[in-house]
Amino acid sequence: MKKVIAIYPGSFDPPTNGHLDLIERGSKIFDELVVAILRNPEKSPLFSLGERRRMLEDLTAEFKNVRVDVFDGLTVDYAARVKASAMLRGIRALSDYEYELQMAMMNRRLRPDLETVFMMPAEQYAYLSSRLVRAAVRLAGDISGLVPELVKHRLQEKLDPAYKLANRTSKAEKK
Ligand code: PNS
């Protein structure tokens, strides 16, 4: 029987528990799932491509049919290169729908044989986004439970002023 390969494209800056929830769901229904990080020259991301790739590889290591890759250009062209017949996208609140519908229709026009498959994350992640997580950490907000611990620490190292200060003090004390 034909193997169904799906891509899960996105920025993942940073990966959240919502992304991981979707990856787990996707890994159950597709034979192979490629988490594909967009190299986007228009955006200046918080985490480099290498950092995002390594985090996602660590976080998805337990799923044997999931791999992580980086791409640029059109997502449909990348999907064709990896022989994917489906594209997985998460849909949260109603506000996602308009944008996702437009993108799915454009992608269908560009490559009619690629199906966009929408999945909903678990309820507790319905309003979670990488953008809000970055904003909360910048203001020293508690993001426990919203991102994996590994991501939480990387975020705090980069953005949380209180965390940076505490670490600097404890390092200085050790000297
Ligand atoms: O996680 P994001 O930022 O919502 O992901 C958006 C993404 C990467 C799926 C979308 O921006 C994308 O596919 N960009 C690549 C260019 C492309 O193919 N655009 C859609 C048709 S013009």
Side-chain angles (χ1 to χ4, degrees):
M1 245 182 40
K2 194 180 156 231
K3 244 177 45 165
V4 182
I5 302 173
I7 58 165
Y8 177 37
S11 309
F12 305 103
D13 189 33
T16 66
N17 282 346
H19 292 128
L20 286 180
D21 180 272
L22 227 71
I23 291 170
E24 185 172 357
R25 288 171 200 279
S27 76
K28 287 183 188 151
I29 65 165
F30 299 114
D31 296 307
E32 197 182 318
L33 182 66
V34 187
V35 179
I37 313 167
L38 174 69
R39 184 197 308 272
N40 188 348
E42 284 162 31
K43 277 192 186 173
S44 41
L46 176 64
F47 288 101
S48 71
L49 270 177
E51 287 174 318
R52 282 177 277 162
R53 185 181 198 148
R54 275 190 297 278
M55 283 191 276
L56 280 164
E57 279 172 350
D58 282 354
L59 297 167
T60 59
E62 67 185 282
F63 306 114
K64 296 303 164 220
N65 61 342
V66 174
R67 66 184 176 90
V68 181
D69 197 8
V70 167
F71 76 102
D72 38 30
L74 280 177
T75 303
V76 291
D77 290 343
Y78 171 75
R81 285 202 293 280
V82 297
K83 299 187 170 39
S85 52
M87 173 185 323
L88 174 63
R89 289 290 289 170
I91 202 145
R92 295 161 300 186
L94 201 59
S95 50
D96 279 343
Y97 183 75
E98 179 87 39
Y99 168 68
E100 292 296 334
L101 181 72
Q102 282 180 13
M103 196 158 69
M105 289 303 150
M106 177 58 96
N107 284 334
R108 179 176 282 168
R109 199 185 170 92
L110 295 169
R111 194 183 151 206
D113 57 344
L114 180 74
E115 282 303 332
T116 299
V117 177
F118 292 118
M119 289 179 94
M120 284 153 298
E123 217 177 321
Q124 65 266 36
Y125 308 130
Y127 293 94
L128 175 59
S129 73
S130 298
R131 185 176 56 81
L132 287 181
V133 164
R134 291 194 305 265
V137 178
R138 274 199 179 97
L139 300 170
D142 184 10
I143 49 153
S144 305
L146 300 179
V147 295
E149 281 298 297
L150 175 156
V151 175
K152 183 178 153 185
H153 292 304
R154 302 275 155 78
L155 273 164
Q156 286 175 320
E157 278 161 10
K158 276 200 197 265
L159 293 179
D160 183 345
Y163 184 89
K164 276 189 197 164
L165 190 69
N167 272 9
R168 212 175 296 149
T169 316
S170 63
K171 272 185 199 150
E173 277 165 2
K174 274 186 206 149
K175 278 184 190 167

